[in-house]
Amino acid sequence: MKKGKVYLVGAGPGDPGLITVKALECLQQADAVVYDFLAGPPVLAEAPEQAELIYVGKKGSDHTLAQAEINRLLIDLAAQGKTVVRLKGGDPFIFGRGGEEAEELVAAGVPFEVVPGVTSAIAVPAYAGIPLTHRNFTSTVAFVTGHEDPTKAESSIDWSKLATGAGTLVFLMGVKNLPHITAKLIEAGLDPDTPAALIRWGTTPDQITLTAPLTDLAGKAAEINFKPPAVLVIGKVVDLRTQLNWYETKPLFGRRIMVTRTREQAGGLSRALLSHGAAVIECPTIRLAPPEDWGPLDRALDDLSAFDWLVLTSPNGVQSLFERLFTKGLDARALAPVKLAAIGPATAEKLARFGLKPDLLPEKYVAESLLEALIAGGVKGSKVLLVRAAEARDVLPQGLAAAGARVVETAAYRTLPPAELTKEAEEALAAENLDLVTFTSSSTVTNLDRLLGQRADWFKKKIPAACIGPITAQTAEEAGFKVAVQAQVYTIDGLVQAVMEYFTSTGGRSA
């Protein structure tokens, strides 16, 4: 049996894009992941499917496992020969008890490594537009825990030195003790009018920033029931937020948008929405499956020289086609005898990854426009191989046949509904705090409708829909969804642009 090892890994402050390359490498090789409250689903998704995920998070006084039990868990998992990732929010050695865990691993003779993470102490203020140092304000900064070990006989914080010793003070986990912290600092000589900021859920689309003079901050936080997790920043640099607030001013900041694409395809749309500040709830409504019978496609691939055109209507079709080619010991050269038609730029881009460029790309990226372009090019008497999903519409095969083409239609894959909604989607529906749902095909509409069950009526009345094109929009409207957005350019980029224009015209949420 292989020898186990523990990696003490910093997951970063919340934005999954801030996790380090080495942290991702560790996660991708993990047999077990022992994770905290602040390690979110996008980061955990990097672990292998077979990896054991064990939640040991702590929220205030609610501890899933005591620290001693966490230490024992790490040792036990390593003793089983497992590669263990202890995934901690921020950095494991900055108020993360990583040092204590490392000591226990050493005592037990368990090999370990430390993978530093981007600490919330620096990242969260940066996302709030607050540089911790600035040569016009201060060259010193101090990091302080907002709650010390309650078993300690007396505080180790020298408030008098802290109040005068650093230009910027950053307290982590300090919301509960905020009145005590501010009072102690003022009592020790810090100017009561010193600018201060509380930043909740920093670096995420749920970020909320409260600013006030030090003497007023605790009272204002109590008024709005400001809750953890939050970072407290005190110092003149807080005033720079009025100029440098870059994150909370993004066009989709704070908007909660459901993405219904397949798990494999959601990434591109999700990343684009996230880059504009949205909170993305991934809810795959489609799963891809092989066709029930590979025979028709195999026979077509064996007889490619008999065809004039190969028509591809989705990136999934391209991927499935090439996987089948590779299975048969062939590659892109097998497609040399035929001209290629792609329904849109996403399909063309997928072809480009295999070194191919379509001979035909329609002006509009729908089946009707592709049909018009093929007919205009003269398909009468041509033999056309149409490779697509088993459940696709009949517009192309019927239209091509009517134009005099001989059409061979083959399924490269099937689109099936998942058995149930994701946990993330269930939580968003329970909270009733979605702002928009995106649909990128008719099947995403019909499958979500089915998955919603008894909640479908509420969802259709309350949650506006954004559709990638007119066919999808028509399906959504016929199903009773409230279509508020339709992309003018039928691509993911076009959909994202249309979503931003919609929220800009309807007004954004203030932080």
Side-chain angles (χ1 to χ4, degrees):
M1 187 173 68
K2 71 174 184 177
K3 191 171 184 180
K5 186 171 184 178
V6 175
Y7 292 86
L8 302 174
V9 176
D15 181 344
L18 295 180
I19 195 167
T20 67
V21 172
K22 187 166 185 178
L24 285 179
E25 290 174 351
C26 291
L27 274 169
Q28 289 161 359
Q29 298 169 24
D31 298 312
V33 180
V34 179
Y35 67 100
D36 280 348
F37 173 56
L38 295 176
V43 173
L44 292 171
E46 295 293 335
E49 262 188 58
Q50 68 274 16
E52 185 179 5
L53 303 181
I54 306 169
Y55 175 64
V56 295
K58 303 172 183 177
K59 291 189 288 181
S61 59
D62 181 13
H63 292 193
T64 307
L65 285 182
Q67 187 61 48
E69 294 176 276
I70 295 173
N71 299 341
R72 174 48 55 188
L73 176 63
L74 297 176
I75 293 167
D76 289 347
L77 289 169
Q80 298 169 32
K82 294 183 176 182
T83 297
V84 184
V85 169
R86 173 68 175 107
L87 193 63
K88 306 171 78 68
D91 179 272
F93 275 13
I94 296 185
F95 307 132
R97 306 192 74 170
E100 297 172 44
E101 292 171 355
E103 287 180 306
E104 293 296 326
L105 294 171
V106 169
V110 175
F112 75 95
E113 287 187 25
V114 179
V115 181
V118 178
T119 174
S120 59
I122 59 172
V124 169
Y127 270 53
I130 302 171
L132 297 183
T133 63
H134 189 291
R135 67 178 184 171
N136 293 335
F137 294 91
T138 182
S139 299
T140 58
V141 59
F143 301 123
V144 191
T145 179
H147 63 82
E148 294 183 278
D149 184 347
T151 64
K152 289 165 66 173
E154 59 182 44
S155 173
S156 61
I157 299 175
D158 189 328
W159 294 99
S160 62
K161 291 180 180 178
L162 195 61
T164 58
T168 304
L169 302 177
V170 181
F171 287 82
L172 276 67
M173 305 167 291
V175 173
K176 185 177 178 181
N177 293 331
L178 184 60
H180 174 73
I181 292 168
T182 56
K184 278 290 187 182
L185 289 171
I186 293 170
E187 181 185 319
L190 190 58
D191 185 348
D193 290 327
T194 302
L198 268 179
I199 309 145
R200 183 174 191 261
W201 284 118
T203 78
T204 77
D206 293 320
Q207 177 173 305
I208 296 174
T209 305
L210 173 67
T211 59
L214 181 63
T215 189
D216 297 332
L217 188 64
K220 288 196 172 184
E223 284 176 15
I224 62 172
N225 195 25
F226 199 100
K227 294 183 177 182
V231 171
L232 167 62
V233 185
I234 302 167
K236 292 180 180 179
V237 290
V238 171
D239 282 341
L240 289 167
R241 171 176 160 77
T242 56
Q243 304 169 50
L244 307 181
N245 180 16
W246 62 274
Y247 182 58
E248 294 168 34
T249 56
K250 287 191 171 192
L252 297 180
F253 176 74
R255 296 293 184 178
R256 303 183 67 80
I257 300 176
M258 179 178 282
V259 170
T260 58
R261 303 194 89 192
T262 66
R263 192 174 297 279
E264 296 82 3
Q265 291 181 304
L269 177 55
S270 296
R271 282 192 297 273
L273 294 170
L274 284 166
S275 72
H276 295 295
V280 174
I281 294 88
E282 290 191 354
C283 175
T285 57
I286 293 174
R287 60 183 177 89
L288 303 182
E292 292 182 347
D293 180 9
W294 284 110
L297 181 58
D298 285 345
R299 287 191 291 273
L301 294 178
D302 290 338
D303 194 28
L304 276 170
S305 60
F307 291 94
D308 300 293
W309 282 98
L310 169 58
V311 179
L312 296 154
T313 60
S314 72
N316 290 328
V318 175
Q319 183 67 36
S320 296
L321 171 69
F322 274 90
E323 286 177 0
R324 199 61 188 169
L325 280 173
F326 297 153
T327 299
K328 294 170 66 65
L330 302 172
D331 58 25
R333 290 173 293 182
L335 303 183
V338 296
K339 290 184 285 186
L340 300 174
I343 197 168
T347 304
E349 182 183 341
K350 194 71 172 181
L351 278 169
R353 294 183 186 180
F354 295 100
L356 296 173
K357 182 178 179 181
D359 299 283
L360 185 149
L361 194 67
E363 185 176 338
K364 294 182 178 179
Y365 313 136
V366 292
E368 286 80 357
S369 186
L370 178 57
L371 175 62
E372 290 175 8
L374 284 164
I375 292 174
V379 291
K380 187 176 181 178
S382 297
K383 191 171 183 180
V384 179
L385 175 59
L386 178 58
V387 176
R388 59 186 193 154
E391 302 80 9
R393 295 187 300 140
D394 293 328
V395 171
L396 276 171
Q398 291 180 356
L400 289 169
R406 291 172 294 155
V407 182
V408 175
E409 184 182 357
T410 62
Y413 64 99
R414 290 177 294 153
T415 58
L416 304 176
E420 58 187 8
L421 293 168
T422 60
K423 180 183 177 183
E424 187 182 9
E426 287 285 4
E427 290 174 350
L429 290 171
E432 297 188 3
N433 61 352
L434 287 170
D435 293 298
L436 190 75
V437 60
T438 61
F439 293 125
T440 55
S441 67
S442 292
S443 53
T444 60
V445 176
T446 54
N447 289 352
L448 180 63
D449 196 3
R450 189 180 303 117
L451 287 165
L452 286 171
Q454 294 181 344
R455 294 169 293 192
D457 287 343
W458 165 83
F459 192 97
K460 293 172 183 178
K461 289 176 184 176
K462 296 293 184 181
I463 311 302
C467 297
I468 200 166
I471 305 302
T472 304
Q474 180 181 345
T475 304
E477 287 173 345
E478 289 173 354
F481 288 94
K482 185 172 62 175
V483 177
V485 181
Q486 182 183 307
Q488 297 304 303
V489 179
Y490 313 149
T491 63
I492 294 301
D493 288 342
L495 179 60
V496 172
Q497 183 61 38
V499 168
M500 287 196 294
E501 290 172 359
Y502 167 72
F503 281 119
T504 299
S505 66
T506 58
R509 190 185 84 172
S510 59

